Amino acid sequence: MEATRPQFGPGIAPQLPNQGASTRLRKSLPGGGQWWECLLPFRHFTANDVFDSETYKELSHQFSLILETTAGKREGAYRMRRALGNNDGLVLGLTDKLGIAFSPLFTEAWLRSLAELLDLKFLPRVEGALHSNPRGSRTGWIHTDCCSAWFDESSGTMEELMFPPRGRCNYFTGQAKVPDAKPKEYIRAATMIFYLCNNGWEQGDGGETGIYSADRETEDTAVKLIPPLNNSLFLFECSPHSYHRFVTNPGRTRNSIILWLHASVHDAQARWGTAINRRDNR
C-alpha cells in the first residue's frame, strides 16, 4: 500500500500516517495534566492541561502583554524582534529577570523534573525564548537542536541556575563580546515547547510542530504533527535524530514558549559521539 504524502500548503489540514502508539503516563509528572510518551520517530512526550487554570491564565497574560507591546498597543520593557535568517517568526530571548514572569516554566524545580523524565543529568544552564509566528509564516527547515551552546562562566557557580548572558558571549558561536568573558561550551540536551495564546485553534489553522524520521520530507519520513493547543507541550531529548520543524500556519498566529536544557560536552559525546553539530569560538 502506497504511503500518503503529507501536504503542508496553506489551508490544507495535513493527514499523516499513524506510526507509533503513545502510552499514557501515570506516575507523578511536572505540572499535572495528562502526559503521553511515544518512541517513534524518536522518544518524545506530549502533555495536555499542563497547568491549573490560574497558572495558565497568568502565563498567557504575561505573554499577551509582550505581544501588545510588540504590536505598539502599549508601553512595556520587552518587545519581540524578527528572528534571524529565513525564520518569519518574532522572538524574545529570556533573561533571569524575565524568566521569573513565566514561572513555573523556568524554575529549577520544573527544569529538574523535565531532566528526570528524560533520564538526563540536570545542569543549571537553561536557554528560553518567546516565539510568535504571524499568520502565513513559512514552514521551517528540518533540524535536530543537537548543537553547541555557549555560556559565559566568568561569574557565578555551576550550582546557580543561569540563562545565557547575551551581552557577554554569543550563545551559538561562543565568540566573546567583552574582554573578561569566559565562554564555555555546552550541548543542547532537551527541548520543550509550551503552547499558549492560540485561542480557538482548529485543524487546518497550521502552526503545528512536525516531527520526522530523517532530515528531509519524503513519503515515509513525516511521522506526526504536534498541534499548538493552549496549555499543552511537546518535550524531547535533543539527539542527532530528533528531526522536527515549524509547519506553516495559514489560519492564525502560532504562539509558544520554548526552553532548552543543556549537557556537558563530555556527557553529550559519551551519548552521541561525533554526531553532534559542534561549533567553536575561534
Side-chain angles (χ1 to χ4, degrees):
M1 180 177 177
E2 184 178 357
T4 301
R5 178 179 174 82
Q7 299 295 320
F8 296 109
I12 297 177
Q15 299 295 319
L16 295 180
N18 181 17
Q19 299 186 33
S22 58
T23 300
R24 173 83 176 270
L25 301 181
R26 300 186 182 279
K27 60 182 179 179
S28 177
L29 293 165
Q34 298 176 327
W35 289 69
W36 290 267
E37 179 182 15
C38 190
L39 300 181
L40 294 176
F42 50 86
R43 186 182 182 222
H44 63 274
F45 297 85
T46 59
N48 295 331
D49 301 319
V50 176
F51 298 111
D52 62 77
S53 59
E54 287 303 313
T55 301
Y56 173 75
K57 182 179 179 180
E58 181 60 22
L59 286 168
S60 59
H61 173 67
Q62 294 296 332
F63 195 98
S64 295
L65 290 178
I66 294 175
L67 287 177
E68 291 174 5
T69 301
T70 302
K73 297 179 179 179
R74 64 183 295 275
E75 294 294 324
Y78 300 103
R79 186 184 303 269
M80 293 185 183
R81 306 293 182 185
R82 286 286 179 185
L84 299 176
N86 294 324
N87 190 329
D88 292 332
L90 301 172
V91 178
L92 175 61
L94 290 180
T95 61
D96 295 300
K97 183 177 180 180
L98 187 54
I100 295 173
F102 291 95
S103 178
L105 284 173
F106 294 94
T107 61
E108 184 168 333
W110 171 265
L111 300 171
R112 282 185 178 276
S113 63
L114 295 181
E116 181 179 352
L117 183 61
L118 291 166
D119 303 313
L120 296 174
K121 178 181 178 181
F122 175 73
L123 288 181
R125 297 294 181 266
V126 60
E127 164 68 320
L130 311 184
H131 284 196
S132 182
N133 289 87
R135 179 179 177 180
S137 294
R138 288 169 289 184
T139 292
W141 67 95
I142 298 175
H143 61 288
T144 69
D145 283 0
C146 188
C147 64
S148 300
W150 295 79
F151 287 73
D152 171 41
E153 299 288 349
S154 61
S155 62
T157 68
M158 278 303 300
E159 288 71 38
E160 294 177 329
L161 184 63
M162 180 190 293
F163 285 85
R166 303 178 194 282
R168 297 188 60 83
C169 75
N170 187 294
Y171 173 74
F172 288 109
T173 68
Q175 182 177 6
K177 297 182 179 181
V178 294
D180 62 339
K182 296 181 180 179
K184 181 176 180 179
E185 183 186 11
Y186 295 89
I187 305 297
R188 282 181 169 177
T191 301
M192 187 214 73
I193 306 175
F194 180 74
Y195 305 102
L196 76 173
C197 296
N198 299 311
N199 300 343
W201 185 90
E202 296 179 351
Q203 188 175 12
D205 287 337
E208 298 98 337
T209 303
I211 59 176
Y212 306 86
S213 59
D215 63 355
R216 64 189 64 84
E217 181 198 340
T218 70
E219 293 181 349
D220 301 314
T221 60
V223 176
K224 185 188 294 186
L225 294 175
I226 310 296
L229 299 174
N230 283 347
N231 202 14
S232 71
L233 65 74
F234 172 45
L235 170 70
F236 60 91
E237 180 181 2
C238 298
S239 76
H241 55 270
S242 56
Y243 297 111
H244 65 284
R245 67 173 170 181
F246 166 81
V247 174
T248 186
N249 53 335
R252 64 177 62 243
T253 296
R254 199 289 292 271
N255 298 307
S256 63
I257 301 174
I258 189 166
L259 71 78
W260 291 274
L261 301 178
H262 297 81
S264 69
V265 174
H266 176 271
D267 287 348
Q269 286 186 324
R271 191 165 181 82
W272 306 118
T274 60
I276 303 165
N277 181 19
R278 294 188 64 188
R279 310 180 181 100
D280 63 45
N281 63 342
R282 291 177 294 177

